[in-house]
Amino acid sequence: MTWIDMMIIIIYFAILVVVGIIGTIKAKTSEIYILAGRNLGVFMLFGCLTAVFLGGSSTIGSAQLGYEIGFSGVWFVFSMGLGITLFGIFLLKKVTGYKLMTISELLGKLFNVESKLIGAVIAAIYALMVSVTQVIAIGALLSAIFDWNLVFSMLIGGGVVFFYTILGGMWSVSMTDIIQFLIMTAGIFLIMLPTSLSKVGGFAELTAQLPSSYFDFSAIGFKEIIQYLLTFTLGMMVGQDIWQRYFTAKNLKTARTGGILVGVYSLLYSLAMVIIGMCALIVLPSIENTQNVFTSMAFETLPTGLRHRFCCCGSSYYVNCIWYIIGFFNLNN
């Protein structure tokens, strides 16, 4: 690891802390803290909604699927984006009239206080369990980069994310979501994808060297596609992090436009990632642990300074998990 890599990581974490501190100035009311004042425009909302799935699991997972099965791996991430889009088109209007901040509030309005509390507790327990895995992932990354003790790395990495999330609320989360969205979008579409294709001699060479099944969107089978749709599409439609970000929009039109853009982007992003994975199969055909496809290809294609920053983007899901807990326990309204 070079000193440039280290400086970029330190600067990145410092920016997150500064965003959290600025967020304390912005968050003067509970509505601003929980929903950023319901004032986000299309681009901000689009970036924030996209950042929900634009993290370690979608990036590493899609590249892995591209390496193993090709184009049919797009269903993983696309199913997530589709769920966000469908919620905005079909369900958002039905719930916006309640002026909600959390899903548990809706349970309370439709049923009773007890159902509101039960829903909050169940969702918070689930979010806490997922948060643990994300903190471990952040710690493992920092431990590998800096050669730190794993527990110490978890405390530092998880602590920074926890700090800016709690301190600045949804405004801080929105700003860090946009930072991640811009970096990942530019890095994948403008740097990593074209560089990966260049290494294999272009898309024509890719089609010539890989089996035809790698270019079949239905190669994984109808049953597997349905499982993706049921698990991720329906799952995203009832996610507190999705609802809460939608509630930050200025109005219903803004929210729906942002949601539709997410669906389009999820398809493009998943295509880019599986193509990168397919390129890796040609460039690095002997990867034993296919979970390392993305990181291995990153070291093959990215310049110094960008490699470790890309790996750090997985922390966004940890933010979502913290936000689950904050949102669901907002039981006083």
Side-chain angles (χ1 to χ4, degrees):
M1 176 178 179
T2 68
W3 67 270
I4 297 178
D5 293 308
M6 184 176 294
M7 285 302 300
I8 287 179
I9 292 174
I10 292 173
I11 292 171
Y12 173 66
F13 277 128
I15 290 173
L16 298 185
V17 172
V18 170
V19 168
I21 294 173
I22 295 175
T24 61
I25 301 173
K26 296 281 187 179
K28 297 183 182 298
T29 67
S30 60
E31 187 171 64
I32 295 176
Y33 183 83
I34 299 293
L35 298 177
R38 301 183 192 269
N39 199 39
L40 297 190
V42 171
F43 176 74
M44 282 287 290
L45 179 66
F46 164 50
C48 291
L49 286 171
T50 301
V52 173
F53 63 83
L54 192 67
S57 61
S58 61
T59 301
I60 294 172
S62 293
Q64 179 182 4
L65 290 171
Y67 191 90
E68 295 174 350
I69 59 178
F71 274 8
S72 57
V74 302
W75 290 102
F76 172 42
V77 170
F78 176 63
S79 295
M80 298 183 193
L82 181 62
I84 296 174
T85 299
L86 292 179
F87 175 81
I89 294 175
F90 296 109
L91 298 179
L92 183 60
K93 185 177 181 180
K94 297 180 183 297
V95 299
T96 50
Y98 290 101
K99 291 295 181 181
L100 304 172
M101 292 188 183
T102 66
I103 296 178
S104 58
E105 284 184 272
L106 180 62
L107 294 175
K109 292 178 183 294
L110 295 179
F111 302 103
N112 50 45
V113 175
E114 288 75 16
S115 64
K116 179 180 180 179
L117 179 61
I118 292 172
V121 171
I122 292 174
I125 291 174
Y126 163 77
L128 185 61
M129 297 287 284
V130 179
S131 294
V132 170
T133 64
Q134 296 302 312
V135 172
I136 293 173
I138 296 171
L141 172 67
L142 293 179
S143 178
I145 294 173
F146 293 108
D147 197 26
W148 290 343
N149 174 270
L150 178 59
V151 174
F152 179 73
S153 300
M154 289 164 57
L155 290 174
I156 295 297
V160 169
V161 179
F162 184 82
F163 175 79
Y164 77 74
T165 303
I166 295 296
L167 198 61
M170 183 56 83
W171 187 89
S172 296
V173 171
S174 298
M175 293 305 298
T176 53
D177 279 350
I178 291 299
I179 292 172
Q180 171 176 295
F181 169 73
L182 292 175
I183 291 176
M184 291 297 289
T185 299
I188 295 299
F189 289 100
L190 301 181
I191 300 175
M192 199 163 174
L193 178 60
T195 305
S196 297
L197 284 171
S198 176
K199 278 190 172 291
V200 300
F203 191 79
E205 188 65 24
L206 189 69
T207 59
Q209 294 196 43
L210 293 181
S212 59
S213 62
Y214 268 68
F215 301 90
D216 182 358
F217 285 94
S218 61
I220 56 174
F222 182 72
K223 181 180 179 181
E224 192 73 18
I225 293 173
I226 293 298
Q227 288 179 349
Y228 275 125
L229 294 175
L230 290 177
T231 302
F232 296 113
T233 302
L234 297 182
M236 297 297 274
M237 293 176 72
V238 294
Q240 168 64 25
D241 47 354
I242 303 301
W243 285 42
Q244 203 154 346
R245 281 166 170 78
Y246 263 121
F247 295 158
T248 63
K250 289 181 178 181
N251 49 54
L252 182 60
K253 182 180 179 180
T254 297
R256 282 182 166 171
T257 302
I260 292 171
L261 290 175
V262 170
V264 175
Y265 184 93
S266 67
L267 177 60
L268 296 176
Y269 187 82
S270 57
L271 277 171
M273 289 312 307
V274 297
I275 290 174
I276 290 171
M278 292 161 68
C279 292
L281 182 58
I282 297 174
V283 177
L284 304 166
S286 58
I287 297 177
E288 294 183 2
N289 184 356
T290 54
Q291 289 185 344
N292 296 330
V293 168
F294 176 74
T295 53
S296 298
M297 201 61 179
F299 276 92
E300 282 287 323
T301 59
L302 295 179
T304 298
L306 287 180
R307 301 166 182 168
H308 300 300
R309 169 62 197 98
F310 268 22
C311 296
C312 286
C313 282
S315 64
S316 75
Y317 195 75
Y318 174 42
V319 174
N320 294 333
C321 294
I322 295 173
W323 211 238
Y324 261 121
I325 298 171
I326 295 173
F328 271 104
F329 276 108
N330 180 44
L331 300 176
N332 296 321
N333 297 311

